[in-house]
Amino acid sequence: MEAILHIMRDTILTFDNNTSRQIKGTAIGVSSSVAIAEIFVHVFFESQRTRYQGRPPIYYRYIDDIFGIMIGPPENLSAFHTWANSIHPNLRFTMEHNARDLSFLDTTISINTATRRLETKAYYKSTNLHTYLQYDSSHLLPLKNSFPTPCALD
């Protein structure tokens, strides 16, 4: 606990010849910042969410990405989103919703209207250039050999 408080209270940064002491949150670029944020969200938000009557019955969270399926009218989803943004001043959630498909992490999840089952396919952000390292590049051999390679099926 002392180490976490030290990171959060005693970070000094200099920008444009101005030196400041960070008084809220964790410093950008500090390796422990993600872990501290994850612990905070897990301990605070998850304890509140489990007590909320209108929570989504299907709910998955990976660090700061949440996927859920809400049953009922769209107002239930809006109410949950409003509630989530009201429980702590430092937590802010955005929401994307669609009745047919939604992208979560690197996956697009859709509902097959005929079978009413969930289906998945790979999702690529529009910024993905699909560029790959050529094996004959000047990179070190151990780095090139560490990349996964496709398997040929006979």
Side-chain angles (χ1 to χ4, degrees):
M1 181 62 127
E2 186 177 329
I4 291 172
L5 290 175
H6 172 70
I7 291 167
M8 295 182 71
R9 286 189 311 221
D10 301 327
T11 300
I12 306 296
L13 57 112
T14 301
F15 178 74
D16 201 21
N17 292 325
N18 294 316
T19 301
S20 304
R21 180 174 166 251
Q22 184 162 332
I23 58 171
K24 182 177 174 183
T26 61
I28 294 172
V30 175
S31 59
S32 59
S33 293
V34 173
I36 292 168
E38 170 65 15
I39 291 166
F40 171 76
V41 170
H42 181 75
V43 170
F44 185 82
F45 182 73
E46 294 300 322
S47 66
Q48 298 293 317
R49 184 189 64 83
T50 57
R51 290 182 251 179
Y52 183 73
Q53 294 290 327
R55 67 185 178 268
I58 297 171
Y59 175 92
Y60 299 99
R61 183 174 60 81
Y62 180 74
I63 304 178
D64 62 346
D65 291 311
I66 298 171
F67 174 82
I69 297 177
M70 183 67 84
I71 298 171
E75 295 79 28
N76 292 1
L77 181 59
S78 295
F80 179 74
H81 182 243
T82 301
W83 169 83
N85 279 315
S86 70
I87 62 170
H88 195 282
N90 293 337
L91 289 177
R92 286 292 160 256
F93 296 90
T94 59
M95 178 175 65
E96 295 177 30
H97 59 92
N98 189 313
R100 294 230 11 192
D101 61 14
L102 192 64
S103 295
F104 177 68
L105 302 176
D106 294 331
T107 307
T108 296
I109 303 158
S110 59
I111 300 173
N112 182 315
T113 54
T115 64
R116 301 295 298 159
R117 298 185 69 116
L118 295 179
E119 297 178 348
T120 61
K121 64 180 180 180
Y123 167 73
Y124 301 100
K125 293 182 180 178
S126 60
T127 56
N128 187 338
L129 301 177
H130 297 281
T131 56
Y132 303 99
L133 181 67
Q134 294 291 328
Y135 196 79
D136 61 355
S137 71
S138 298
H139 288 78
L140 295 173
L141 190 59
L143 173 70
K144 293 189 285 189
N145 288 340
S146 71
F147 292 130
T149 57
C151 297
L153 299 175
D154 293 326

